[in-house]
Amino acid sequence: MLSRIINFHDYGHLLPVVRNSLIAGAVVALVGGLIGPFVVSRDLPFAVHGISELSFAGASGALLIGSNVVAGAIVGSLIAALLLGLLGERAQQRNSVIGVVMPFGLGLGVLFLGLYRGRAANKFGLLTGQIVAVDTPRMRWLIVVCAVVVVALALMWRPLAFSGVDPDVAAARGVPTRALSILFMLTLGLAVATAVQIVGALLVLALLVTPAAAAMQVTATPAAVTALSVGFAVLATIGGILLATGSSLPISPYVTTISFTIFLVCRACGAQRTKRGWVLSR
Amino acid sequence: MTASIATLHGATLRFGARTVWQGLDLDLAPGELLAVLGPNGAGKSSLLRVLLGQLRLSAGEVTVAGKPARHGNRAIGLIPQRGSTAAGDVRARDLVRFGLDGHRWGIGRERALRARCDALLARVGARDYADVPVRLLSGGEQQRVRVAQALAGEPSLLLCDEPLAALDLQHQHAVARLIDAQCRARDTAVVFVTHEINPVLPFVDRVLYIAHGRARLGTPAEILCSECLSELHGRPVEVINGRHGIAIVGAAQAC
């Protein structure tokens, strides 16, 4: 049993097979780690989950009609993100929109997969992640989309942080809060669509929320939060892929376990720090 | 005579069929502190939103710093109600930095603004907890940081939306005194919306009392008297002058 979970037999032969996955995984983790602190400060984890289900529907639809799965995932994601951005500006409204849209998306996805007559691994992979399926064209797609997300975040960085943390004052200072929240949702949609390719639709939160939440346990310095969040996401993804390579299991349990362990450690450190009191600076 | 910081002429605000207030005239001079009082739902916060350019008047005119009120006016600083935001996870200095460059695009460099953030925090006596997450600060400390944030943009008009709510008596006085001292020093006009009149009373130049769609403007002595408030509320209201402040009795039932 254990040897099925962790197995480094023939590892040297397997590594080249997952080379693309490692590159794609690192890039996607970078994006997840970057966008995570915004997701947490804007209280959007549930939205991430909702978007990923529609992304799954899009990807499985693409699989069924034999077109580009990444493009399908992006279309599904963007539709969900736009819906949430337009319909649910307030958290409460947004959560009910997600509650309505998410099961529909998941249902559609299951329908498409039910109709699909191809390889079973393709189906399961969309929900729980896959490693060997990242071929070179697909990796290029992922890198391009991730680059778009990084550039969009860099441009919006300050007003996005301001309006997420402090919306009333940001609005008073002339920050276009509504436009930013819609733009952010679309950017988030792209990030989710890429994460779905690696960890699968059900476990996107492990890449887009857990690393940021862990980082925010141990520091409040914005630059440190971002750096740690990215570091944790990359560690979980690369570690997860390397561990999964020797086994016959999907990648997601490895990624989520590493991610969750990091969170627990950070949580304990954060509790210690709060107990000791924050160091006063002079 | 110096130019007014903010003016309202025949200002009327309606939400659908409901008239919030009408015929409001106001001339706010530099350095003046105006307290805005009145029952809940009288349109006190709406007045702030009109000055911020977030609400359009149904009739009349509003100007800020000589120009019609517009969205995102940099001449205005805002101190919001406590706990109105998710600001808890950032440090005090980050909140202040938002006031300096949060509206600009791009990532920016924190180091370049560090000295200015420190100076602003020192001005309000918040230097010691510059690096502490806002959620770990007491209510009074949080409002000090808010004052520093609002001053960051060197505003000529400071809008305060219930800044004393949920503070204990001692901190109410301290925060009111801080806002007054900082604004007098820079000739910043202040519009101070509040339920707690006594902490600000020593610093107030004029009072705008809004109730039931009508408003009265004058010195505290003119407005905060039984006769004037009874007329505004359309019911007997008694103002009792004590040694440590005033008490308004009866107004609650009249709302």
Side-chain angles (χ1 to χ4, degrees):
Chain A
M1 173 82 144
L2 187 67
S3 67
R4 282 190 61 205
I5 298 175
I6 296 177
N7 184 354
F8 291 111
H9 194 65
D10 282 340
Y11 206 67
H13 296 290
L14 287 170
L15 269 188
V17 184
V18 294
R19 185 183 145 268
N20 279 350
S21 296
L22 284 172
I23 298 171
V27 173
V28 168
L30 169 81
V31 163
L34 275 181
I35 209 167
F38 292 108
V39 172
V40 174
S41 74
R42 293 178 163 255
D43 196 13
L44 289 172
F46 192 44
V48 168
H49 198 49
I51 293 172
S52 74
E53 306 303 3
L54 250 85
S55 191
F56 161 70
S60 47
L63 195 63
L64 176 66
I65 60 170
S67 83
N68 188 325
V69 174
V70 182
I74 290 173
V75 170
S77 261
L78 289 184
I79 290 173
L82 199 62
L83 261 173
L84 296 185
L86 292 176
L87 296 180
E89 203 176 3
R90 288 208 253 132
Q92 203 184 354
Q93 286 172 341
R94 195 171 55 225
N95 284 347
S96 27
V97 174
I98 297 164
V100 170
V101 166
M102 192 171 72
F104 177 63
L106 203 51
L108 268 186
V110 172
L111 171 71
F112 294 151
L113 288 190
L115 295 172
Y116 176 64
R117 292 276 166 249
R119 239 165 39 104
N122 286 345
K123 299 184 186 184
F124 202 47
L126 285 177
L127 274 174
T128 60
Q130 50 202 337
I131 41 166
V132 276
V134 183
D135 52 22
T136 304
R138 192 160 163 188
M139 183 180 75
R140 289 209 184 107
W141 261 94
L142 286 179
I143 291 174
V144 169
V145 177
C146 286
V148 171
V149 173
V150 172
V151 170
L153 283 181
L155 287 175
M156 297 189 285
W157 199 273
R158 277 181 291 187
L160 197 59
F162 191 7
S163 60
V165 163
D166 197 3
D168 293 345
V169 178
R173 295 283 286 169
V175 172
T177 49
R178 174 127 175 88
L180 268 177
S181 85
I182 292 171
L183 273 175
F184 178 70
M185 279 310 230
L186 292 175
T187 311
L188 181 61
L190 289 179
V192 169
T194 64
V196 166
Q197 315 292 319
I198 302 296
V199 284
L202 293 180
L203 302 157
V204 165
L205 290 174
L207 268 192
L208 263 68
V209 174
T210 316
M216 287 162 100
Q217 296 290 325
V218 289
T219 180
T221 308
V225 168
T226 303
L228 280 180
S229 168
V230 169
F232 293 160
V234 171
L235 184 68
T237 311
I238 298 299
I241 292 173
L242 289 178
L243 285 175
T245 299
S247 77
S248 53
L249 297 172
I251 160 188
S252 50
Y254 299 94
V255 175
T256 52
T257 304
I258 298 174
S259 202
F260 184 59
T261 309
I262 293 172
F263 178 81
L264 287 183
V265 172
C266 287
R267 173 95 211 193
C269 296
Q272 270 298 314
R273 186 166 185 184
T274 305
K275 214 159 85 184
R276 270 203 331 265
W278 284 67
V279 184
L280 303 184
S281 73
R282 284 279 155 194
Chain B
M1 193 191 138
T2 45
S4 308
I5 294 298
T7 64
L8 289 166
H9 289 302
T12 300
L13 185 66
R14 290 191 198 93
F15 292 139
R18 188 171 86 92
T19 300
V20 184
W21 30 255
Q22 58 184 342
L24 213 62
D25 289 306
L26 174 68
D27 248 296
L28 201 63
E32 186 179 14
L33 197 152
L34 174 79
V36 181
L37 308 174
N40 287 335
K44 304 191 294 290
S45 294
S46 300
L47 175 64
L48 298 187
R49 297 192 60 199
V50 164
L51 290 167
L52 282 167
Q54 292 173 351
L55 273 180
R56 294 271 298 272
L57 286 175
S58 312
E61 283 172 27
V62 52
T63 70
V64 173
K67 294 184 194 119
R70 63 184 169 83
H71 188 67
N73 193 334
R74 297 273 139 70
I76 303 181
L78 172 69
I79 298 179
Q81 273 190 41
R82 207 181 121 218
S84 63
T85 64
D89 283 325
V90 297
R91 299 168 302 169
R93 71 163 65 254
D94 300 319
L95 217 51
V96 175
R97 187 191 157 190
F98 284 144
L100 285 169
D101 74 338
H103 58 282
R104 289 174 201 270
W105 299 102
I107 296 170
R109 287 177 54 225
E110 197 207 349
R111 197 156 301 174
L113 297 171
R114 207 177 163 85
R116 282 176 72 191
C117 284
D118 283 343
L120 282 160
L121 284 162
R123 228 156 82 178
V124 299
R127 182 70 187 78
D128 281 350
Y129 36 90
D131 294 301
V132 178
V134 174
R135 79 187 123 86
L136 299 179
L137 300 179
S138 74
E141 290 170 339
Q142 287 183 13
Q143 288 309 75
R144 281 180 187 276
V145 176
R146 283 297 191 183
V147 174
Q149 182 194 36
L151 293 176
E154 304 283 338
S156 51
L157 173 63
L158 180 65
L159 306 180
C160 308
D161 193 359
E162 303 268 7
L164 308 180
L167 292 183
D168 62 38
L169 207 59
Q170 190 195 339
H171 284 106
Q172 286 182 353
H173 283 277
V175 170
R177 198 178 313 119
L178 174 71
I179 291 173
D180 176 69
Q182 291 296 327
C183 292
R184 295 270 175 222
R186 279 162 199 80
D187 247 4
T188 305
V190 183
V191 176
F192 202 109
V193 170
T194 185
H195 268 104
E196 323 283 344
I197 176 65
N198 287 320
V200 269
L201 202 51
F203 316 113
V204 168
D205 296 302
R206 280 191 294 172
V207 170
L208 178 68
Y209 200 105
I210 311 177
H212 311 287
R214 285 170 298 174
R216 291 285 292 272
L217 179 69
T219 64
E222 287 166 5
I223 303 298
L224 300 173
C225 63
S226 303
E227 191 192 353
C228 179
L229 291 192
S230 298
E231 193 195 318
L232 266 173
H233 280 282
R235 264 192 170 216
V237 171
E238 196 177 352
V239 176
I240 302 163
N241 283 288
R243 261 196 307 160
H244 302 292
I246 63 164
I248 300 171
V249 186
Q253 291 92 319
C255 305

